[in-house]
Amino acid sequence: MAKLNRYWKLARRPVGNDFASALELVEHELETLVDGDVLIQNAYFSLDAGTRMWMSPREDSYSPPTPLHSPIIGMVLGRVVESRHPDFRSGDLVRAYGQWSDFSISRPDETYVERVSWQLDDLLQHLAVFGPNGWTAYLGVVEYGQTKPGDTFVVSAASGVTGALAGQVAAQLGCRVIGITGSTQKEAWLKEELGFDATIDHRQEDVAMRLRELCPEGINVYFDNVGGTILDAALENMALFGRVAVCGLLVHYDKETPVPGPYKFDQILMKRLQFTGFFSPDFYHRGPDVNRILKSWYEAGKLKMRFDVTQGLENTLEAYGKLFNGQKIGKSLVQVADL
Ligand SMILES: NC(=O)c1ccc[n+]([C@@H]2O[C@H](COP(=O)([O-])OP(=O)(O)OC[C@H]3O[C@@H](n4cnc5c(N)ncnc54)[C@H](OP(=O)(O)O)[C@@H]3O)[C@@H](O)[C@H]2O)c1
């Protein structure tokens, strides 16, 4: 008998962060696998801010928009339960592009599917430290941001998974690390548990003024996760020959037309700044090499991540909203089955 599968589909383009009016949870019978397919029982899937961008109709993003009536795509961690691909077997633990669903059918020759080890103290770290967020943080800091020991390093969305990892990587390189985040509780996590030197609450404080106080010699590297007014505040405070590693532009993702700015664009010339954008699928193939470096820090207790895990596929939208209203800390996941 065919297996039933539930998945979230994009029924309409969302307005702002009203996901409940735009996404629908639907049930269907899973298709029969064909050669080259693997069937994954999702245990967890990742909630990513970038997914919001693909819910919009904009064609000029780094991936085309999700077509209406299609499943929402996301990174999953799950167990292969059936394989028609020679390199995968039932029981394999995989990280893969799947769907916000109970099961994902993926084609490893066409899309990202990677077998990962069962030998990890916390298997969820396959979706954090040792997955695309960890690689983005590491390469964003080390290669795209060209961060050096002694640099003053500032990161926005610092309590989110990529920002928190980027700050810890910079700390390992010997930088002074300042995180911009949105609550006292998040500031405490960053300073007391992750070793950030200082934090700024963008909901309570004047970010430009606080950066001026905290970085009298200027910012050498700004790791941008949000864009908007926080990017302007950083630009105003950059050091000569500073670097801006553009990881994400979170405040743009729910806009249907280009967002003007940054207002302080002239600082690129005045301070001779270097801007570099980067996108993790470009370097997925480097994941195993980067993981070897991250592993040594992780095992030494110098790279940490906490999880905001929501139980149940039906609670996905509420969990997703928390990425944008500041109501969560660390990596956001939905659990739909046991591993
Ligand atoms: N280039 C790449 O390949 C790549 C890969 C992964 C992620 N990214 C990007 O990196 C960024 C962060 O993603 P993530 O998955 O690490 O984060 P996340 O875990 O989804 O957390 C996002 C955080 O952003 C903060 N935030 C939300 N709205 C904000 C606003 N208007 N202004 C300032 N901060 C805001 C929130 O915390 P607060 O309480 O601090 O506001 C929230 O916790 C996103 O832009 C994402 O697209 C890029």
Side-chain angles (χ1 to χ4, degrees), residues 29-40:
E29 284 189 356
L30 275 172
E31 303 81 15
T32 307
L33 299 199
V34 297
D35 284 347
D37 285 347
V38 292
L39 175 64
I40 302 163

Side-chain angles (χ1 to χ4, degrees), residues 141-193:
V141 172
V142 172
E143 294 191 3
Y144 298 104
Q146 295 176 34
T147 306
K148 296 175 187 57
D151 278 349
T152 293
F153 178 94
V154 175
V155 56
S156 52
S159 73
V161 56
T162 315
L165 291 172
Q168 292 175 84
V169 168
Q172 289 315 301
L173 300 184
C175 299
R176 187 165 158 264
V177 177
I178 297 162
I180 302 172
T181 187
S183 75
T184 312
Q185 193 196 1
K186 292 176 182 185
E187 291 186 282
W189 181 58
L190 295 174
K191 285 191 286 201
E192 289 160 23
E193 288 189 46

Side-chain angles (χ1 to χ4, degrees), residues 160-162 181-182 186 202-203 225 247-248 253 278 280 323 328:
V161 56
T162 315
T181 187
K186 292 176 182 185
H202 68 88
R203 292 197 166 82
N225 281 316
C247 176
Y253 296 165
F278 46 97
S280 54
L323 269 63
K328 64 93 193 169

Side-chain angles (χ1 to χ4, degrees), residues 59 120 232 249 300 307:
E59 299 278 353
L120 184 62
D232 273 318
L249 295 169
F307 295 90

Side-chain angles (χ1 to χ4, degrees), residues 75-314:
M75 195 63 79
V76 307
L77 182 70
R79 186 192 287 266
V80 172
V81 288
E82 193 183 336
S83 175
R84 298 278 301 267
H85 190 286
D87 298 343
F88 293 86
R89 290 190 175 32
S90 267
D92 283 349
L93 179 65
V94 289
R95 175 178 53 224
Y97 273 140
Q99 292 99 40
W100 289 7
S101 57
D102 294 310
F103 293 92
S104 301
I105 295 178
S106 296
R107 293 182 65 73
D109 294 337
E110 293 170 17
T111 187
Y112 175 76
V113 184
E114 184 179 354
R115 190 180 313 100
V116 295
S117 172
W118 286 99
Q119 310 302 317
L120 184 62
D121 62 343
D122 179 359
L123 291 172
L124 298 191
Q125 296 293 1
H126 285 305
L127 289 176
V129 170
F130 300 114
N133 294 114
W135 311 334
T136 304
Y138 180 83
L139 293 172
V141 172
V142 172
E143 294 191 3
Y144 298 104
Q146 295 176 34
T147 306
K148 296 175 187 57
D151 278 349
T152 293
F153 178 94
V154 175
V155 56
S156 52
S159 73
V161 56
T162 315
L165 291 172
Q168 292 175 84
V169 168
Q172 289 315 301
L173 300 184
C175 299
R176 187 165 158 264
V177 177
I178 297 162
I180 302 172
T181 187
S183 75
T184 312
Q185 193 196 1
K186 292 176 182 185
E187 291 186 282
W189 181 58
L190 295 174
K191 285 191 286 201
E192 289 160 23
E193 288 189 46
L194 305 191
F196 280 48
D197 296 289
T199 54
I200 298 172
D201 183 341
H202 68 88
R203 292 197 166 82
Q204 302 290 337
E205 298 182 287
D206 179 329
V207 177
M209 197 179 78
R210 286 287 289 138
L211 285 173
R212 205 153 39 246
E213 288 166 5
L214 289 167
C215 314
E217 309 290 325
I219 302 165
N220 302 107
V221 180
Y222 173 52
F223 191 106
D224 190 14
N225 281 316
V226 297
T229 54
I230 295 179
L231 170 58
D232 273 318
L235 283 179
E236 201 177 314
N237 286 286
M238 294 299 293
L240 207 57
F241 304 114
R243 283 85 66 201
V244 179
V246 185
C247 176
L249 295 169
L250 205 146
V251 300
H252 293 212
Y253 296 165
D254 63 352
K255 309 292 184 295
E256 296 197 358
T257 51
V259 177
Y263 182 68
K264 303 273 181 182
F265 182 82
D266 64 353
Q267 293 304 297
I268 297 171
L269 173 62
M270 305 311 160
K271 306 265 181 59
R272 279 81 99 199
L273 305 178
Q274 193 172 312
F275 264 65
T276 312
F278 46 97
F279 180 42
S280 54
D282 296 342
F283 44 76
Y284 278 5
H285 63 284
R286 297 183 59 191
D289 289 337
V290 174
N291 278 350
R292 273 188 275 283
I293 299 163
L294 299 180
K295 189 161 176 267
S296 62
W297 292 339
Y298 178 77
E299 287 178 348
K302 292 174 175 163
L303 210 48
K304 298 177 187 162
M305 182 47 54
R306 64 190 266 182
F307 295 90
D308 185 275
V309 181
T310 295
Q311 302 294 330
L313 189 58
E314 60 285 1

